[in-house]
């Protein structure tokens, strides 16, 4: 662990590896489940992050007529979310009808206890076990595997047992898609072609824009020589070659000497872009060995030609027409959509929030890109809605979540990043996405007959994220973490400066706190048993008493001892404590990957300004339906048995919720 540097870490921990070359291993096209006529039908719109307070306010102001109408047809309630209210966890509650003790997703980020190395919690990739070396090449004899780490059965798998058809579009925490004959396509958690959660490329001649090692993107310095720019666009590492070089394609740009126009040339394509113009999807191929290449899709945005040349290239998405990793069931479903609509976003969360955070895209450019996402989503939705006539249709929208994350700063005057002039221009971004969803609901209502149950739901709501809390720094100052070099505090990352033999507890991920347990952690010191138990209670109690010296407010409403709140067989694998932050507070940007800045509190100076990784009581989601809701306080895991009961299916014993109608 101590020898790991940042670059290696990023490769190890937070990418899903490069196993793209061998593809989804099977070309078997599975037949989708047939069309059994069901007497009842269910349509569910999953609008990530839609907040009950905002919804209520804009309904009252008459801005959301169709939400209002749906409320009058049935009901509207705040929907209990998960502990913690992170999307992968919350959607897993909904998918399985359990809590994290039943599905084993506790946080965006988990760690390998033996070496403390973090990894993304929902999927893992394994390398090919047998390889053969020929000259410079290492040829795998079997495919690398990519596995979904979420446990428990998904509701559409249970529907399949009863021959009830379902289409599940981009539900989070389902990459690679759970095995089924139902039509599903993976969403949040689906990597880009590099095996990461999305790396953009940005080519610029302006040296002040150059930054090294930014998360989520690469900034390249380029030169204009004779109205021409030459660069490379990187693809996946070539696992077929001994030293695993990065694959790449040539990128040539010819600038018009007079007009703000350029011709972009990549293998198989050349196209013209005006300054400020986005390209449509372009297909790129990275050659590995003569018989293997990886296909991806990306968009180009010519930000500026003069005085400085600036070109943005989106993260390279898995090509849905020739998917290098499994992204749909049956495999042909993604291909079918690609044939009908052309290439479409496959990367889990398509909006490039990193490019906005790093100033590579400005607010308007970011929104333009997310508008492409939204338009694509709406087109495919219209298609799925028009052919839906039996069983269940679940359809997911990410733009609601992403826009609230990025634009909260412009509706919250107390936010450190509030900017009145930007607010006058983009202050209605969040309101507008709610209005857009109202229009989507209008179309859906037309399709709803007396046998159709319609549910609009979200996994959590939203609050401001104004102040960052460095939990590891707090643990250090309270004697729970010991450092190797005190004077290096704040400089080292990934616990590289942590003296594990003197460390009792550590925070990793956004809401998780672990005890450094003997026999579990590589360098654990706390014996399991009564002593550990007392330590967990002691830390939880102290955490709930912390106040922010700047505001006097309590920072943590509840520190949940997981064995008290989780049910199910995976509770033992959970972090010992889940942190429930107060409104306005969240884990710092440094904390999830084990960095320890000197100060416990910091203002949040990122554009990512709204959040939901707080206490569940602060940010419930929404449930709106055309049926009366009988449950007093419904929660995500109640919706799963609700779906089953509508089709007359008994609740499996592992599900912990109850039908809401
Ligand atoms: Zn979110």
């Amino acid at each position: 662990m101590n020898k790991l540097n940042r670059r290696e870490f990023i490769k190890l921990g937070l990418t899903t590896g490069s196993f793209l070359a061998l593809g989804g291993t099977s070309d078997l096209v599975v037949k989708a489940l047939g069309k059994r006529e069901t007497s009842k039908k269910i349509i569910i719109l999953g609008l990530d992050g839609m907040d009950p307070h905002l919804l209520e306010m804009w309904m009252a102001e008459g801005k959301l007529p169709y939400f209002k109408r749906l409320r009058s047809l049935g009901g509207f309630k705040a929907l209990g979310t998960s502990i913690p209210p992170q999307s992968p966890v919350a959607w897993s509650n909904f998918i399985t009808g359990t809590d994290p003790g039943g599905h084993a997703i506790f946080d965006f980020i988990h760690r390998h206890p033996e070496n403390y190395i973090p990894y993304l919690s929902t999927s893992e990739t394994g390398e090919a076990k047998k390889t053969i070396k020929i000259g410079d090449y290492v040829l795998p004899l079997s495919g690398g595997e990519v596995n979904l780490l979420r446990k428990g059965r998904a509701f559409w798998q249970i529907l399949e047992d009863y021959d009830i058809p379902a289409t599940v579009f981009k539900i989070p925490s389902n990459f690679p898609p759970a095995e089924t004959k139902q039509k599903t396509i993976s969403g949040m958690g689906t990597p880009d072609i590099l095996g990461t959660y999305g790396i953009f490329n940005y080519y610029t001649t302006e040296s002040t824009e150059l930054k090294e090692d930014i998360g989520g993107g690469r900034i390249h310095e380029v030169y204009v020589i004779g109205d021409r720019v030459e660069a490379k666009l990187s693809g996946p590492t070539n696992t077929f070659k001994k030293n695993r070089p990065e694959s790449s394609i040539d990128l040539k740009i010819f600038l018009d000497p007079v007009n703000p126009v350029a011709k972009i040339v990549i293998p198989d394509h050349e196209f013209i872009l005006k300054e400020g113009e986005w390209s449509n999807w372009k297909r790129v191929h990275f050659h590995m060995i003569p018989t293997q290449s990886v296909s991806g899709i990306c968009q180009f945005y010519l930000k500026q030609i003069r005085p400085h040349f600036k070109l943005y290239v989106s993260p390279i998405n898995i090509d849905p027409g020739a998917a290098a990793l499994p992204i749909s069931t049956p495999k042909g479903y993604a291909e079918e959509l690609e044939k009908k609509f052309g290439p479409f976003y496959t990367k889990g969360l398509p909006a490039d929030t990193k490019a906005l955070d790093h100033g590579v895209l400005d607010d308007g450019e970011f929104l333009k890109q997310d508008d492409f996402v939204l338009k694509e989503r709406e087109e495919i939705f219209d298609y799925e809605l028009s052919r839906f006539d039996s069983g269940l249709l679940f359809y997911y929208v990410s733009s609601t979540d992403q826009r609230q994350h990025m634009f909260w700063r412009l509706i919250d005057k107390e936010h450190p990043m509030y900017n009145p002039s930007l607010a006058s221009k983009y202050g209605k971004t969040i309101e507008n996405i709610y209005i857009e969803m109202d229009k989507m609901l209008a179309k859906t209502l037309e399709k709803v007959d007396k046998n159709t149950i319609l549910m609009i739901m979200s996994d959590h709501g939203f609050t401001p994220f104004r102040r960052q809390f460095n939990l590891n720094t707090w643990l250090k100052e309270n004697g729970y973490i010991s450092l190797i070099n005190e004077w290096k505090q704040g400089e080292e990352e990934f616990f590289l400066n942590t003296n594990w033999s003197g460390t009792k507890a550590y925070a990793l991920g956004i809401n998780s706190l672990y005890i450094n347990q003997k026999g579990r952690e590589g360098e654990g010191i706390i014996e399991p048993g009564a002593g550990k138990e007392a330590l967990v209670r002691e830390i939880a109690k102290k955490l709930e008493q912390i106040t922010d010296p700047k505001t006097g407010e309590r920072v943590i409403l509840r520190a949940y001892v997981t064995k008290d709140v989780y049910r199910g067989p995976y509770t033992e694998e959970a972090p010992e404590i889940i942190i429930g932050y107060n409104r306005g507070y969240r884990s710092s940007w440094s904390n999830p990957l084990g960095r320890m800045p000197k100060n416990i509190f910091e203002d949040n100076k990122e554009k990512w300004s709204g959040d939901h990784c707080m206490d569940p009581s602060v940010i419930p989601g929404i449930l709106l339906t055309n049926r009366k809701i009988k449950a007093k306080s419904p929660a995500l895991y109640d919706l799963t048995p609700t779906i089953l009961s509508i089709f007359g299916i008994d609740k499996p014993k592992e599900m912990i919720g109850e039908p809401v109608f």
Side-chain angles (χ1 to χ4, degrees), residues 465-483:
F465 167 26
R466 300 175 188 138
R467 296 277 283 164
Q468 313 182 55
F469 182 69
N470 286 307
L471 177 50
N472 278 314
T473 310
W474 181 90
L475 286 169
K476 187 240 152 194
E477 291 199 2
N478 285 271
Y480 299 110
I481 287 181
S482 150
L483 298 183

Side-chain angles (χ1 to χ4, degrees), residues 419-431:
N419 173 325
S421 78
L422 281 178
S424 68
K425 207 166 168 197
Y426 297 108
K428 288 215 184 283
T429 300
I430 296 176
E431 186 180 315

Side-chain angles (χ1 to χ4, degrees), residues 87 401 405 460 462 612:
S87 295
D401 177 78
H405 277 301
H460 50 68
F462 256 85
H612 45 80

Side-chain angles (χ1 to χ4, degrees), residues 16 112 119-126 145-149 175-176:
T16 62
H112 297 290
Y119 62 94
L120 294 165
S121 61
T122 54
S123 67
E124 67 170 358
T125 43
E145 277 191 358
V146 49
N147 295 312
L148 176 66
L149 295 175
F175 171 81

Side-chain angles (χ1 to χ4, degrees), residues 404-420 463-468 550 584 589 603-611:
Q404 291 184 95
H405 277 301
M406 303 316 287
F407 289 90
W408 200 278
R409 65 198 148 94
L410 303 182
I411 58 169
D412 176 17
K413 289 190 177 149
E414 287 172 55
H415 199 282
M417 289 293 283
Y418 180 77
N419 173 325
T463 72
F465 167 26
R466 300 175 188 138
R467 296 277 283 164
Q468 313 182 55
K550 183 176 167 186
W589 292 105
D603 275 338
N604 173 26
K605 298 221 170 110
E606 299 284 321
K607 288 179 191 142
W608 183 287
S609 49
D611 211 288

Side-chain angles (χ1 to χ4, degrees), residues 13 89 93 135 153 196 217 353 370 418 473 495 520 625 637 661:
V89 186
N93 276 22
R153 293 192 83 206
T196 75
T353 57
D370 197 49
Y418 180 77
T473 310
F495 298 108
R520 182 183 70 181
T625 113
Y637 50 59
F661 296 131

Side-chain angles (χ1 to χ4, degrees), residues 175-241:
F175 171 81
E179 210 171 297
T180 179
K181 286 185 180 147
Q182 307 278 26
K183 273 193 248 156
T184 72
I185 189 154
S186 64
M188 187 189 298
T190 309
D192 67 357
I193 205 173
L194 303 178
T196 75
Y197 273 7
I199 304 253
F200 65 80
N201 282 284
Y202 183 58
Y203 303 88
T204 177
T205 57
E206 187 159 28
S207 56
T208 53
E209 288 190 316
L210 297 173
K211 290 177 201 162
E212 245 217 276
D213 266 357
I214 58 168
R218 291 187 192 169
I219 301 181
H220 311 269
E221 185 169 26
V222 291
Y223 306 95
V224 179
I225 299 168
D227 287 328
R228 188 179 158 138
V229 176
E230 290 196 3
K232 297 243 181 237
L233 180 61
S234 297
T237 51
N238 190 344
T239 52
F240 293 99
K241 284 212 164 169

